[in-house]
Amino acid sequence: MVKVGLQYASVWSFLAARSIVSLACLFLLYFVIKYREKVKFVAPSKSELIKILFVGVLLQVSYLSFYFLSIDSNTSPGIVTLILGFQPLLTPFLCGQRLTLRSFLLLSMGFIGLAISLFGSSEMDKIAFLGVFFSVVALLSISIGTVLQANISHHIVQNMFYQSLLSAPIFLVVSMYCGGNITWTLEFCISLVWMSIVVSVGALLLLMYMAKQDGASSVSVLFYAVPVLAYFFDFVIFRNGLSVITILGMVIVAVSVIFYRKLR
């Protein structure tokens, strides 16, 4: 979806538009939960607010910026996805967690399954230094941000609302400074809605909730399933075929995720 949207907008214009739509959604969600559901949001202390905003810089600014830049570079999306696929292996290390041999083998199995599915369905022939560099920075940003987010006790919607209040002005200023542009087409609008609401609000809320409940290392393995599910929905919705290699990789990922989660 990012690749589609970037055909009609510059990186920073796309990110600015995404941040505005996401902020609007979170604004509505925040007040619905606060006034209709009668949830009492506790104002964070200064130190807690700094931590919340720092995580926002990692997840809402750094990760998204470098992910979009890596997709916009001359590096194949499959390569970018493969690099980000190291997150489940990296997260336990960042958490200071010692993996059992079985856990390590299941994580490795998931990465191998991801690689097989990517080689079966994605172009993997274009590699650019900047694209690889941006992907690595995006990997570090989301990995560290997920670990830190798991230790924040405040309401998830409240956290994301504060974080979006920080990220939206940043992307707007950068977009205006860089002279970005958008061609408003149906394809761009679909890509914008997907990245703003489904990914940046829905998926990220789910990630934060699960990280808080189960721990960052337990949740990170689900990142193997994200591109696999994208292939599945691409097949169901757009009737794009799946190769035998891709299906094999999907099965390996599913088995590794299921058994790894049972270990937790």
Side-chain angles (χ1 to χ4, degrees):
M1 277 298 179
V2 175
K3 193 72 173 180
V4 173
L6 290 176
Q7 296 177 11
Y8 305 98
S10 66
V11 169
W12 302 111
S13 295
F14 194 169
L15 284 168
R18 182 216 61 82
S19 67
I20 293 172
V21 176
S22 295
L23 179 60
C25 292
L26 286 167
F27 179 83
L28 291 174
L29 189 58
Y30 180 89
F31 280 94
V32 165
I33 292 175
K34 183 175 182 178
Y35 293 107
R36 185 170 181 176
E37 302 299 327
K38 306 299 182 182
V39 173
K40 292 184 179 180
F41 291 116
V42 179
S45 64
K46 183 177 179 181
S47 61
E48 291 171 332
L49 181 60
I50 291 174
K51 187 174 182 179
I52 291 171
L53 295 180
F54 179 68
V55 172
V57 169
L58 290 173
L59 294 178
Q60 299 274 7
V61 180
S62 181
Y63 165 67
L64 288 172
S65 295
F66 286 105
Y67 175 66
F68 272 62
L69 288 169
S70 64
I71 295 295
D72 193 50
S73 71
N74 196 33
T75 299
S76 299
I79 298 292
V80 176
T81 304
L82 190 63
I83 293 173
L84 292 175
F86 279 100
Q87 188 198 358
L89 289 165
L90 180 62
T91 301
F93 171 76
L94 295 174
C95 292
Q97 173 188 348
R98 292 188 63 181
L99 289 175
T100 63
L101 178 61
R102 187 177 180 184
S103 295
F104 177 76
L105 289 175
L106 286 171
L107 287 176
S108 301
M109 178 181 168
F111 181 79
I112 292 171
L114 174 63
I116 291 173
S117 65
L118 289 171
F119 277 105
S121 60
S122 302
E123 293 182 2
M124 305 284 287
D125 56 336
K126 297 179 181 178
I127 300 178
F129 171 77
L130 276 180
V132 173
F133 173 75
F134 293 150
S135 300
V136 171
V137 177
L139 168 65
L140 294 174
S141 298
I142 193 170
S143 299
I144 297 172
T146 303
V147 171
L148 295 177
Q149 180 64 52
N151 298 320
I152 297 177
S153 59
H154 288 272
H155 197 284
I156 299 167
V157 172
Q158 183 182 19
N159 293 341
M160 284 193 62
F161 181 60
Y162 290 154
Q163 291 164 357
S164 292
L165 279 175
L166 171 69
S167 64
I170 292 175
F171 286 130
L172 282 171
V173 170
V174 174
S175 177
M176 289 187 292
Y177 179 79
C178 294
N181 60 85
I182 295 176
T183 301
W184 293 95
T185 64
L186 177 61
E187 291 83 358
F188 175 77
C189 291
I190 293 173
S191 180
L192 177 62
V193 169
W194 179 267
M195 291 303 302
S196 303
I197 301 176
V198 178
V199 176
S200 296
V201 176
L204 198 53
L205 277 174
L206 180 61
L207 168 66
M208 289 183 173
Y209 174 79
M210 294 183 70
K212 188 174 180 180
Q213 297 296 318
D214 300 339
S217 62
S218 181
V219 171
S220 64
V221 72
L222 297 176
F223 278 83
Y224 287 145
V226 173
V228 170
L229 288 174
Y231 295 143
F232 175 76
F233 286 124
D234 191 45
F235 169 74
V236 172
I237 297 173
F238 300 108
R239 298 300 178 184
N240 291 327
L242 294 174
S243 68
V244 175
I245 296 177
T246 299
I247 295 174
L248 174 62
M250 294 170 69
V251 172
I252 293 173
V253 167
V255 171
S256 64
V257 169
I258 291 171
F259 279 93
Y260 184 82
R261 293 281 295 174
K262 283 185 177 180
L263 292 177
R264 312 316 297 165

